[in-house]
Amino acid sequence: MTTVNANTVQTASPITTYFRVCDGVRVRFADSRAESDTLTLLLAPWPESLWAFRRIWDRVSAVGRVVAIDMPGFGHSDGRPDLIAPDTAGAFLASLIDEWDLGAPHVVGPDVGTPAALFLAAKAPGLVTSLTVGGAAVRFPIEAGGALKDIIEAPSLDVVRGLDARTNIGYAVEPGAASASEPDVHEDYVSAYDLGRFAESARFVRHYPEQNPVLRDLLPTITTPTQILAGRDDDLVPWSNNQYLNDLLPNSEIHPLDAGHFAWEQAPGEYGRLVAEWVSGGYRRIADS
């Protein structure tokens, strides 16, 4: 398998990005390449990319190997329509973990990574040691706000295609990566969803109305130790979504952070600390209880 160095963002972060093919899809990823029995797999949020983890990378990589990916159709990974849905994204992750020989990683999946990670844990529990999730509109009935609610409820993708993606994405990611202070990261986010890619990626959340009820029924069966991390002041994904997960998952704990939607960037110290403590052994509090 050929791996191509494709690092284009110049920042102080130690992250270097590459591309590798899985199931016929070219996936952008980063890999700390550490020799460790502890492996954490980070799933990039939307509408960002794996650079969303630049502020927690050092903290998490200090306790083991870290691999971060842009899921198919997100960030700078290639897309395929059949994979841009929570259940099929979860199945793709199972293939990736197996094909890339990642063992049973600790999966960290904020935002769109949350339903994908939950479907993965429900369908292939042996491939996941623990979960860190949160900040996704997973409730049923759906509870979402702002632009996310508009996209989910839009009568068709044509409405989303009609948006000025560059302007709208730029505005959306400004709280996490300001264009003035981090222009390269900001541009990485915006360019990931230009030229029609934003509308295609929106298919994922537009599957929530039919897939959230399926997930609701699966949640009580997921015994994987799970910590739920999210901003308490998220105006796109109300806190009720995180409480819903904590209520239905049998082995979970919940941590509200002093942040909005982009908690991994707005409260990176606390987010990174909680992930690092969890994957280095904290998850056993639940696994052994």
Side-chain angles (χ1 to χ4, degrees):
M1 185 71 65
T2 300
T3 299
V4 180
N5 188 336
N7 186 29
T8 58
V9 180
Q10 303 299 319
T11 74
S13 172
I15 297 176
T16 300
T17 60
Y18 307 87
F19 286 95
R20 181 174 174 178
V21 174
C22 177
D23 191 21
V25 178
R26 195 179 68 139
V27 177
R28 188 170 75 157
F29 74 102
D31 189 343
S32 70
R33 301 186 184 277
E35 292 290 334
S36 176
D37 293 333
T38 300
L39 193 155
T40 302
L41 176 62
L42 307 175
L43 311 177
W46 180 65
E48 299 185 313
S49 72
L50 58 81
W51 282 94
F53 301 117
R54 67 199 180 281
R55 295 176 186 162
I56 68 167
W57 186 269
D58 284 343
R59 192 69 176 262
V60 181
S61 61
V63 297
R65 181 181 171 194
V66 179
V67 175
I69 69 166
D70 291 339
M71 294 192 300
F74 295 100
H76 289 274
S77 288
D78 290 348
R80 202 170 73 205
D82 62 298
L83 295 179
I84 307 177
D87 58 352
T88 54
F92 177 86
L93 291 174
S95 298
L96 183 144
I97 290 168
D98 181 59
E99 186 175 317
W100 290 14
D101 196 23
L102 300 183
H106 300 273
V107 178
V108 178
D111 189 66
V112 291
T114 290
L118 290 168
F119 271 107
L120 167 66
K123 301 297 186 179
L127 294 179
V128 187
T129 294
S130 80
L131 296 173
T132 297
V133 295
V138 291
R139 272 188 66 98
F140 188 78
I142 291 173
E143 292 188 14
L148 177 60
K149 177 180 171 67
D150 293 341
I151 291 169
I152 293 171
E153 296 180 352
S156 74
L157 269 182
D158 289 339
V159 175
V160 184
R161 291 189 184 102
L163 299 173
D164 181 338
R166 175 162 283 270
T167 298
N168 282 274
I169 298 300
Y171 176 79
V173 302
E174 188 71 14
S179 57
S181 59
E182 292 186 290
D184 292 333
V185 176
H186 186 91
E187 178 60 24
D188 189 75
Y189 293 170
V190 173
S191 62
Y193 299 100
D194 212 352
L195 304 176
R197 279 178 56 90
F198 178 64
E200 291 306 304
S201 66
R203 294 179 185 275
F204 191 97
V205 299
R206 287 173 59 79
H207 280 292
Y208 287 177
E210 78 263 13
Q211 293 206 0
N212 280 12
V214 177
L215 186 59
R216 173 196 58 199
D217 294 340
L218 289 173
L219 289 174
T221 74
I222 298 173
T223 58
T224 305
T226 303
Q227 73 167 342
I228 302 157
L229 304 182
R232 71 174 86 237
D233 301 317
D234 189 337
D235 58 355
L236 294 175
V237 180
W239 179 255
S240 57
N241 287 276
N242 305 301
Q243 189 61 54
Y244 174 84
L245 290 179
N246 195 49
D247 290 343
L248 293 181
L249 288 165
N251 296 316
S252 65
E253 62 181 45
I254 190 167
H255 301 274
L257 304 180
D258 186 16
H261 182 66
F262 300 96
W264 46 92
E265 289 168 301
Q266 295 171 320
E270 188 71 355
Y271 199 101
R273 180 186 68 79
L274 287 165
V275 171
E277 290 180 356
W278 176 260
V279 304
S280 61
Y283 71 97
R284 293 193 182 98
R285 288 193 299 270
I286 292 175
D288 297 337
S289 61

